[in-house]
Amino acid sequence: MSRDDPAPHSQPIRRTGFVVIGRNEGERLRTCLESVCAVGARTVYVDSGSRDGSVACAYGFGLPVVELDPASPFTAARARNAGVDWLTSHAPGIDFIHFIDGDCELLPDWFAVAHETLAADPMLGAVCGRRRERHPDASPYNWLCDDEWDTPVGLAETTGGDALFRLAAFKDGQGFSPELIAGEEPDLCHRVRAAGWRIRRIGHDMTIHDAAMKRFAQWWQRNRRSGYATAEALARRGRRNPRMWREVVSNVFWALPLAWPFWPILWLRVRHQGGAMKASFITLGKLPHFQGQIDFWRSRRKLIEYK
């Protein structure tokens, strides 16, 4: 083999681009970039209006930086699309895109395992693994995040924010919907699966996430955003997925005052599956979820009235 012929193991690196997104991630971004740059693949950082030196940090790693125009709302979906646009324009040989959030650290052996999984199934459009929380014992909110990341292994409906995609599958799914403030991954993956691709979650550690969630208000806001995303998903895809109707109607029911006397029943049911702390937060979480759903329905009504 001549020096001009790349070794077989180098091919995935040459054909893969990383999109790192962030906003005011501080030292978490430095950790993220160190882990991604260790892979040696083409990488672009997309910044959403940071004021903490994140852009300078990325430049310090020698990375190209895309700074989003603040004239349009910042969303993770918009940032990821911008990263893909940059890679496809500046690295035309890219066939795979790995997304990772700036508050995550890529684990050393994940990249090779992810590519092996895609290579074994030509119709696999995306693969993800186990995202773990960095400090799950630091607060109950961090622990809840870690528990949330532990999704079933096997064929899946969606990935999270960290995942390796085939560029062809990403394009068939028409990319992320940039206007979505949350729930952009299930939205994209729905279109990817509709185009005939499969998505798989494997039982291998992928990234370490640093939620740094220590306050109840942070947990409440996170659940509120989740409720907003659920209601928006229902509006977009509910006709083709009856399960979404059941989820939304169930949450509305449990959030209404008339259902509060029956909360112990819900608590006991969840406790049987995941313990007392999880049951308490899942039950209480019906309220911020409902608040988020109301937020979406109000915004949708205003849009209809405006039109």
Side-chain angles (χ1 to χ4, degrees):
M1 180 180 295
S2 71
R3 292 183 62 182
D4 295 332
D5 294 329
H9 70 271
S10 70
Q11 288 296 330
I13 295 176
R14 293 175 180 268
R15 298 167 58 197
T16 302
F18 274 79
V19 174
V20 182
I21 65 170
R23 184 182 187 187
N24 296 324
E25 300 297 348
E27 284 301 311
R28 296 183 299 184
L29 178 62
R30 183 174 299 279
T31 300
C32 174
L33 295 180
E34 286 176 349
S35 67
V36 171
C37 288
V39 175
R42 195 69 178 269
T43 301
V44 60
Y45 171 65
V46 184
D47 189 80
S48 297
S50 292
R51 299 181 179 179
D52 66 344
S54 290
V55 171
C57 176
Y59 278 132
F61 280 88
L63 298 180
V65 175
V66 176
E67 295 185 68
L68 296 183
D69 186 347
S72 298
F74 295 130
T75 66
R78 180 186 168 207
R80 292 182 186 130
N81 283 346
V84 174
D85 289 344
W86 190 95
L87 285 171
T88 54
S89 297
H90 294 79
I94 293 295
D95 293 319
F96 307 96
I97 303 287
H98 200 304
F99 298 101
I100 182 169
D101 294 345
D103 57 1
C104 293
E105 177 184 359
L106 189 75
L107 292 176
D109 58 346
W110 163 252
F111 182 77
V113 174
H115 266 286
E116 288 175 3
T117 303
L118 284 182
D121 184 352
M123 290 309 298
L124 197 62
V127 61
C128 59
R130 175 68 158 98
R131 175 194 262 192
R132 294 189 179 276
E133 191 57 39
R134 184 174 297 281
H135 302 294
D137 298 328
S139 71
Y141 319 116
N142 282 3
W143 181 88
L144 288 166
C145 284
D146 189 70
D147 181 74
E148 180 183 327
W149 308 146
D150 194 12
T151 57
V153 171
L155 289 179
E157 292 188 358
T158 185
T159 68
D162 308 331
L164 177 64
F165 276 78
R166 292 186 194 271
L167 181 58
F170 180 84
K171 289 183 175 180
D172 283 349
Q174 302 172 36
F176 291 102
S177 298
E179 71 278 7
L180 293 182
I181 63 172
E184 67 277 1
E185 299 97 349
D187 180 73
L188 167 63
C189 289
H190 169 79
R191 294 190 298 274
V192 168
R193 289 185 291 106
W197 297 94
R198 290 187 284 270
I199 297 168
R200 183 175 294 278
R201 200 284 227 188
I202 62 176
H204 195 90
D205 285 358
M206 175 181 59
T207 53
I208 300 176
H209 177 262
D210 190 359
M213 195 180 305
K214 300 178 180 180
R215 294 180 289 109
F216 179 80
Q218 292 173 294
W219 171 84
W220 185 279
Q221 180 62 16
R222 188 171 187 272
N223 278 269
R224 183 176 176 179
R225 286 168 58 89
S226 178
Y228 189 104
T230 301
E232 189 162 18
L234 176 66
R236 286 171 172 257
R237 310 189 300 275
R239 294 181 180 179
R240 296 179 294 273
N241 192 340
R243 189 184 65 188
M244 289 185 180
W245 285 97
R246 293 194 296 269
E247 291 178 357
V248 170
V249 171
S250 174
N251 189 83
V252 170
F253 168 77
W254 287 110
L256 294 176
L258 62 89
W260 294 355
F262 302 99
W263 272 16
I265 298 175
L266 175 63
W267 186 89
L268 288 171
R269 188 172 66 188
V270 179
R271 180 182 180 276
H272 178 72
Q273 300 171 352
M277 184 168 68
K278 181 177 180 179
S280 298
F281 279 100
I282 289 293
T283 302
L284 182 60
K286 299 298 180 182
L287 299 180
H289 267 81
F290 183 57
Q291 185 180 16
Q293 291 170 336
I294 293 296
D295 289 343
F296 171 75
W297 291 322
R298 283 178 175 173
S299 66
R300 185 177 177 86
R301 180 178 178 181
K302 289 180 180 178
L303 180 62
I304 292 174
E305 290 175 348
Y306 176 79
K307 291 181 177 180

